[in-house]
Amino acid sequence: MSKVSNSSPPNAEFLGPDPWQPRLSPVASRFNQEYQGDPIELPPEVESMPIFHDRVSGALQASQVSPFWEIAKPKKNQRCLDIGCGVSFLVYPWRDWEAYFYGQEISTVARDALNSRGPQLNSKLFKGVCLGPAHRLNYGEDAFDLAIATGFSCYYPLAYWTDVLAEVKRVLKPEGSFVFDVVNPEATLAENWGILEMYLGTEVFLEPITEWEKLIKASGCKIVKRSEGKLFSMYKVKFE
């Protein structure tokens, strides 16, 4: 039987020496601040940008969400790992899907909120959220039918995703699928969105789609489906 461990590291610092820590810490800090609702002061020239007004009004949110279920809908009784899950279990219809939800997140605020409220929403399907980065998954081998990682690939260089894909392959069952998204630098929103993200505290890497697809192939993945959004390109892959 596959082993599923969901024990969290004892504190916000990830276990062991990690060369990626300088990249991880600013992302964790930014999203802790955002989930807490703390204000972020921005220069007037940034606040005057149309994309900033779209963010304040909520109009930008739809462009930033990748509907992973459209290309890989979780199925009843499947074990699903949501990497960088945020508060996914509270906002997406996991109860309708009847799939088992496991999460991993680098924001302590999101982790704590989900571990507090998730069991209240559905204690059968919600299996807990671990604290940790995407390249160090706190779960056993061959444990999941589906893995999801949306909304954060852009905060790390391509080399980081070589490590992430290797970890995802380790925890997925041989027939399992992985869904993730990447910013399409050719998208109309991409450049201004990247500027806004930088002022919000997170550097964005706008890598060409061709380089992403080279990385996918080099990591032993086969692209099963691809879907285009206003900002993100979404991929469903399987490991060969």
Side-chain angles (χ1 to χ4, degrees):
M1 180 178 292
S2 300
K3 295 180 179 179
V4 179
S5 168
N6 60 357
S7 58
S8 301
N11 52 51
E13 294 300 321
F14 308 120
L15 297 178
D18 189 341
W20 292 114
Q21 191 61 45
R23 290 286 178 194
L24 298 166
S25 294
V27 178
S29 296
R30 178 264 172 95
F31 283 99
N32 279 337
Q33 188 173 11
E34 189 163 306
Y35 283 121
Q36 290 174 144
D38 296 339
I40 299 175
E41 292 188 11
L42 300 175
E45 60 268 25
V46 175
E47 292 190 348
S48 68
M49 295 171 67
I51 198 166
F52 173 79
H53 295 290
D54 288 345
R55 183 177 189 271
V56 172
S57 70
L60 184 61
Q61 179 65 19
S63 301
Q64 298 182 115
V65 171
S66 290
F68 60 84
W69 54 90
E70 292 182 358
I71 62 173
K73 184 178 178 180
K75 298 177 182 178
K76 184 176 181 178
N77 295 332
Q78 278 191 330
R79 288 176 170 175
C80 302
L81 174 62
D82 194 341
I83 306 165
C85 59
V87 292
S88 165
F89 192 74
L90 304 181
V91 296
Y92 298 138
W94 287 94
R95 289 179 297 177
D96 295 342
W97 298 328
E98 298 183 84
Y100 296 110
F101 176 96
Y102 298 78
Q104 182 148 321
E105 174 60 54
I106 64 169
S107 164
T108 54
V109 177
R111 188 268 319 256
D112 292 347
L114 208 47
N115 280 336
S116 173
R117 296 176 60 189
Q120 299 171 19
L121 192 62
N122 191 304
S123 60
K124 177 184 176 183
L125 299 178
F126 181 75
K127 298 299 182 181
V129 179
C130 290
L131 183 70
H135 71 294
R136 289 188 173 183
L137 299 175
N138 296 318
Y139 296 95
E141 296 180 2
D142 302 333
F144 297 103
D145 302 287
L146 173 66
I148 303 153
T150 58
F152 69 91
S153 64
C154 54
Y155 302 126
Y156 307 99
L158 282 172
Y160 179 73
W161 280 82
T162 300
D163 293 349
V164 173
L165 286 167
E167 268 292 85
V168 171
K169 181 179 181 180
R170 180 183 66 78
V171 302
L172 271 184
K173 296 177 181 179
E175 69 278 12
S177 300
F178 179 38
V179 178
F180 66 102
D181 62 8
V182 305
V183 173
N184 182 352
E186 301 300 320
T188 304
L189 290 174
E191 185 175 354
N192 285 340
W193 182 80
I195 293 170
L196 178 59
E197 286 294 300
M198 180 182 68
Y199 280 99
L200 290 172
T202 42
E203 180 183 2
V204 169
F205 294 83
L206 297 178
E207 305 286 0
I209 291 294
T210 53
E211 293 303 309
W212 273 107
E213 295 191 350
K214 286 179 185 177
L215 173 63
I216 292 169
K217 183 177 180 181
S219 297
C221 296
K222 177 183 178 181
I223 297 173
V224 178
K225 289 184 181 179
R226 178 178 166 182
S227 177
E228 294 297 331
K230 292 183 178 180
L231 182 60
F232 291 93
S233 294
M234 186 167 50
Y235 290 90
K236 176 182 177 180
V237 303
K238 287 182 176 289
F239 291 91
E240 297 181 317

